[in-house]
Amino acid sequence: MAGIQLVGVNKRYGGTEIIPEFNLEIESGEFLVFLGPSGCGKSTLLRMIAGLEPVSAGQIRIGGQDVTASAPGERDLAMVFQHYALYPHMTVRENMAFGLRNVNVPAAEIDRRITEAARMLELEGMLARKPIQLSGGQRQRVAIGRAVVKEPGAFLFDEPLSNLDAALRNRTRVELARLHQRLKTTMVFVTHDQVEAMTLASRIVVMNRGRIEQMGTPIEIYRKPATRFVAGFIGSPAMNFIDAIPVAAEADCIKVRLADGTELQTGVPTQAARKDAKLVAGVRAESLTLDDASPVRGRADVIERLGERTLVYVTLSNGHSVVAQAHRESPVASGDLVGLHFEPEHVHLFDEAGLAWHAA
Amino acid sequence: MCICLMKPGLPGMPHKGAAMTTTLSALPAAARASSQPKVKGVQHWSNALFVLPFVLVYIALLVVPVVTGLWLSLNDVDVLSGDRAFIGLANFARLWHDDIFRGAIRNTFLFVLMTTPAFVALGLALALALNRQDRVGTALRTIFFGSSVLSVTIVTLVWRLVFMTDKGLLANVMHSLGLASINPLTSSALALPAIALVTVWWIIGLPMMLFLAALQQIPEEIYEAAAMDNAGRWRTFWSITLPQLRKTVALVAIIEVILQFQLFGQAQLMTNGGPNNSSRPLVQFIYEAGFQQWALGYSAAAAQVLFGLMLIGVALQMWISKRGQTQSGEST
Ligand SMILES: Nc1ncnc2c1ncn2[C@@H]1O[C@H](COP(=O)(O)OP(=O)(O)OP(=O)(O)O)[C@@H](O)[C@H]1O
Ligand SMILES: [Mg+2]
């Protein structure tokens, strides 16, 4: 088990800077998820930790030791690749044994570890098969097993679930969570799927263009997104954003006028926010409910009945579209005129720089 | 048949969600199943018309000559007098006692044994060294492949100049090293190896390209996995690269055995089979018997022997590579 430190890590390909300067301390035993849109540099970062990609500047430490110049095999890490990367000509057993034989683990010990991993991952009947004789999910389990038998200081995962179908993805996700509970080894996981990040992580690092946008537990990031980017990236459906102008505050909390002319009392303390001329109000669908008494009105457009709740797409009087949530048996129908109730304590304000202000 | 298997997933059916998942898992099975059973129903003989042109060409250019050759080899044919007589296996009996023929067989085997391993090993080594995307790699690949487009006359001409007694490049180099110069083409021990060297130099490009293509098929990810698995350079080569190239090695070996059994031009032009018949290959023997002595039956009999030898050689190789494959599949 080992912690990982990234100190001033920089990566450039030729003239383009992919990662400007990255500082991060990954604690021993934590499940850290890098989350970000495609192309933001998550894989590059993971591959630099693995040693598959050299850093342009900076230092990488694993378990307190500087490994910046070490070969991938010397870093006491195991990696699970997106496309499994199993050795096609080797059986499942040979795939798992290969890395152990290379470091001269005794045969009896190799057997013991493979047997144990095979039992844990339900691969017992497949040890003599070649990868081509396995299904996608089974291959992914072999790839995980190959990492597990190495008993590494930390696991690295690069979007390991993205090639699986939805049902299998859910199941493997739970298996990974279970694996982490059992082994308690450091895990670093890269994904662009926020559901994976929310469910697996003990800590999420949200990345954007090679930078850390926000770091925190899944709930922190969901409740108090630090920037408009994070607010828009996390949560499904995406947060509603409505242009707003601050109006004279009477109470301790900021009051804004929304783009459609109605006024909205937020829970954001007055002294917290900068007095920007323009703000953006953000509210998630679950905090925006139907209420005919509300002055904010619009026309229901599309109704999505998801079973446990109903999503209502509402076009405001100024043409702006927002998503609200209604009760699962709500009688609302497409074309209805509806009022929208904002829960003040769940309204976020974003200033012109994109920084967020939350209710106290 | 595909369509009826997919039907449960069509929208509008009850239990849409469940039906969708069964469709997902049934799809590959449907694809597999549709390719297995033969098409049922009326077999139209007219469908055969589509392959008829190919079959005609195949018969005219392959079946007819092979059968004719086989028939010729059982006859005594004298082209000059026009005589032809069925003599059974007499031609083959005569070949058996013909020292020049036996020498030619020995030379041909030696030549194949010298060149084929060289093509495999050298072609693979070149491919490994030049499997890179920079300018130097591209330039060298072009150069190594370039010689393959030269015709045999040019290649042998160039190399005869290199080997020329006292004045050739080889002689000059040996002089400058203080050694007595030799012309390998005039030595019965060195003539065949020299022809082998020229042949490898001439057409090493094809095996190199085949290996390069195969190397580029190996996904980069498994090399990264090997790096994470602590495999060093040699370990990676033996355990990852080579097993992935098994089929290409077999392919190159089979191609080269077939090609090199048919050695003719280089030997004819560089040594004319000499000195002392030490470099006369089978095809040259066939050519001389058929078109210089006009003993067509005798020549055809020798050609049948060559055909049989090549068949045995290729079958042997396929057997070896198949056996290697199943063995590695069973070992754990
Ligand atoms: N070899 C390379 N040369 C130049 N640019 C590269 C190279 N590899 C990656 N990049 C660039 O670096 C950036 C980050 O790539 P990276 O693969 O880390 O993205 P990612 O966050 O993993 O995205 P995804 O979710 O799509 O996998 C991309 O903009 C990509 O174009
Ligand atoms: Mg990636």
Side-chain angles (χ1 to χ4, degrees):
Chain A
M1 230 199 279
I4 301 171
Q5 284 114 24
L6 306 175
V7 187
V9 169
N10 166 285
K11 179 70 188 178
R12 45 177 72 242
Y13 285 112
T16 39
E17 198 162 54
I18 305 299
I19 293 170
E21 187 186 328
F22 206 91
N23 291 293
L24 178 67
E25 172 126 17
I26 302 171
E27 316 228 331
S28 177
E30 86 172 310
F31 200 128
L32 185 106
V33 174
F34 286 119
L35 175 66
S38 187
C40 71
K42 309 174 300 279
S43 297
T44 309
L45 203 60
L46 197 74
R47 293 163 53 79
M48 286 195 291
I49 296 175
L52 297 171
E53 198 77 65
V55 301
S56 303
Q59 203 185 51
I60 294 173
R61 300 165 153 275
I62 296 175
Q65 290 199 333
D66 183 359
V67 296
T68 316
S70 309
E74 294 164 358
R75 300 187 178 202
D76 191 24
L77 300 172
M79 183 153 171
V80 177
F81 294 82
Q82 182 174 0
H83 304 282
Y84 322 128
L86 298 176
Y87 310 120
H89 55 283
M90 296 188 197
T91 62
V92 169
R93 179 185 290 278
E94 289 167 324
N95 262 285
M96 295 207 229
F98 186 66
L100 302 178
R101 286 192 190 136
N102 289 339
V103 292
N104 300 317
V105 176
E109 172 69 8
I110 295 181
D111 272 350
R112 188 190 66 76
R113 291 195 201 175
I114 291 179
T115 311
E116 193 184 315
R119 203 188 47 229
M120 186 160 69
L121 295 164
E122 291 167 34
L123 290 169
E124 281 143 318
M126 302 165 200
L127 288 176
R129 292 204 212 160
K130 297 260 179 87
I132 197 151
Q133 297 164 310
L134 300 175
S135 73
Q138 291 166 339
R139 284 180 212 179
Q140 192 54 281
R141 291 216 296 277
V142 174
I144 293 170
R146 185 172 68 177
V148 167
V149 294
K150 288 166 82 179
E151 302 185 353
F155 289 94
L156 308 179
F157 298 91
D158 191 353
E159 309 210 13
L161 309 182
S162 58
N163 276 340
L164 307 179
D165 70 48
L168 201 55
R169 189 154 51 216
N170 286 351
R171 220 166 55 219
T172 316
R173 207 173 62 208
V174 175
E175 271 172 31
L176 276 179
R178 218 169 264 149
L179 192 71
H180 182 244
Q181 279 168 14
R182 182 178 321 196
L183 302 176
K184 303 200 165 46
T185 312
T186 316
M187 295 193 172
V188 184
F189 189 100
V190 160
T191 182
H192 60 243
D193 182 324
Q194 44 135 346
V195 177
E196 276 169 32
M198 296 290 290
T199 50
L200 285 172
S202 46
R203 201 152 57 111
I204 297 180
V205 173
V206 183
M207 289 179 64
N208 187 22
R209 300 170 187 225
R211 288 172 213 275
I212 296 182
E213 200 80 19
Q214 186 176 7
M215 224 178 337
T217 65
I219 289 302
E220 269 167 27
I221 287 183
Y222 188 79
R223 293 257 170 84
K224 302 202 159 165
T227 63
R228 186 173 164 178
F229 172 83
V230 177
F233 195 73
I234 301 264
S236 171
M239 187 184 277
N240 298 299
F241 294 111
I242 307 167
D243 292 339
I245 299 166
V247 293
E250 303 140 23
D252 306 339
C253 294
I254 298 180
K255 198 174 198 185
V256 292
R257 178 178 296 119
L258 298 179
D260 71 339
T262 51
E263 290 192 352
L264 171 65
Q265 178 64 51
T266 70
V268 181
T270 316
Q271 63 270 32
R274 276 178 20 209
K275 296 283 185 291
D276 278 7
K278 279 191 197 158
L279 294 172
V280 173
V283 61
R284 295 193 191 280
E286 69 213 40
S287 306
L288 184 61
T289 46
L290 300 190
D291 173 9
D292 283 334
S294 167
V296 187
R297 303 196 70 81
R299 192 170 290 279
D301 222 356
V302 175
I303 318 289
E304 281 184 349
R305 296 193 186 274
L306 301 179
E308 85 282 12
R309 56 181 174 154
T310 302
L311 294 178
V312 186
Y313 291 76
V314 179
T315 307
L316 301 179
S317 59
N318 65 335
H320 214 100
S321 180
V322 294
V323 192
Q325 185 173 319
H327 188 261
R328 61 186 140 104
E329 277 149 20
S330 164
V332 63
S334 176
D336 286 0
L337 263 180
V338 293
L340 293 171
H341 171 70
F342 292 74
E343 292 173 15
E345 65 274 24
H346 291 128
V347 174
H348 313 269
L349 291 178
F350 302 92
D351 63 20
E352 286 181 85
L355 289 181
W357 306 101
H358 310 289
Chain B
M1 118 160 278
C2 238
I3 289 165
C4 70
L5 265 175
M6 280 166 65
K7 251 189 188 147
L10 288 177
M13 297 294 281
H15 307 300
K16 193 176 164 197
M20 285 300 283
T21 50
T22 44
T23 314
L24 273 178
S25 56
L27 255 182
R32 248 180 285 128
S34 67
S35 67
Q36 273 171 359
K38 295 275 178 294
V39 181
K40 284 194 183 142
V42 193
Q43 299 263 1
H44 291 286
W45 62 268
S46 54
N47 289 354
L49 282 175
F50 287 108
V51 290
L52 191 65
F54 171 77
V55 171
L56 285 182
V57 171
Y58 185 81
I59 290 175
L61 296 184
L62 222 97
V63 178
V64 170
V66 164
V67 173
T68 314
L70 207 65
W71 176 244
L72 272 181
S73 70
L74 303 175
N75 284 273
D76 184 13
V77 185
D78 191 327
V79 181
L80 296 182
S81 64
D83 287 348
R84 172 185 287 230
F86 183 81
I87 54 167
L89 294 175
N91 278 328
F92 292 94
R94 218 179 109 205
L95 280 175
W96 182 255
H97 297 289
D98 186 336
D99 281 341
I100 296 185
F101 177 74
R102 284 156 75 152
I105 287 200
R106 193 191 64 106
N107 292 339
T108 307
F109 263 103
L110 279 178
F111 184 77
V112 169
L113 287 178
M114 279 187 272
T115 50
T116 303
F119 275 119
V120 172
L122 216 59
L124 179 56
L126 279 176
L128 287 170
L130 301 182
N131 184 22
R132 34 193 242 192
Q133 303 309 319
D134 56 357
R135 237 173 246 185
V136 182
T138 314
L140 288 175
R141 281 199 298 270
T142 315
I143 289 173
F144 278 106
F145 192 70
S147 60
S148 309
V149 303
L150 300 176
S151 83
V152 65
T153 30
I154 294 173
V155 170
T156 50
L157 192 69
V158 168
W159 279 91
R160 273 166 68 188
L161 289 177
V162 170
F163 290 146
M164 198 159 51
T165 315
D166 286 335
K167 281 177 278 185
L169 178 67
L170 180 66
N172 287 339
V173 169
M174 296 192 74
H175 278 311
S176 67
L177 291 175
L179 300 167
S181 77
I182 46 155
N183 180 347
L185 299 182
T186 58
S187 143
S188 39
L190 292 180
L192 200 63
I195 295 174
L197 176 79
V198 172
T199 307
V200 171
W201 178 90
W202 178 29
I203 46 175
I204 188 66
L206 178 67
M208 179 188 78
M209 283 298 179
L210 290 173
F211 280 124
L212 271 170
L215 280 176
Q216 277 159 16
Q217 293 294 309
I218 307 177
E220 190 55 33
E221 257 193 352
I222 73 172
Y223 283 110
E224 295 184 339
M228 297 298 294
D229 269 348
N230 257 307
R233 277 184 88 129
W234 276 107
R235 197 65 216 264
T236 307
F237 175 73
W238 285 109
S239 301
I240 310 289
T241 308
L242 212 52
Q244 292 287 299
L245 293 179
R246 181 194 302 281
K247 286 204 173 105
T248 313
V249 169
L251 176 74
V252 167
I254 288 172
I255 290 179
E256 293 303 336
V257 163
I258 292 175
L259 275 179
Q260 302 318 325
F261 256 117
Q262 304 178 54
L263 166 67
F264 177 43
Q266 303 97 292
Q268 162 97 347
L269 293 169
M270 289 178 80
T271 61
N272 199 13
N276 217 353
N277 296 325
S278 65
S279 64
R280 171 171 287 102
L282 253 178
V283 177
Q284 193 180 356
F285 179 91
I286 295 167
Y287 167 77
E288 286 169 353
F291 299 102
Q292 290 183 343
Q293 291 144 24
W294 300 107
L296 273 194
Y298 194 48
S299 165
Q304 301 310 313
V305 174
L306 174 62
F307 183 65
L309 288 178
M310 280 165 60
L311 222 56
I312 292 171
V314 171
L316 208 66
Q317 261 178 354
M318 287 173 112
W319 180 67
I320 289 173
S321 66
K322 267 233 183 72
R323 204 188 50 162
Q325 222 158 3
T326 49
Q327 256 180 3
S328 80
E330 281 156 12
S331 74
T332 40

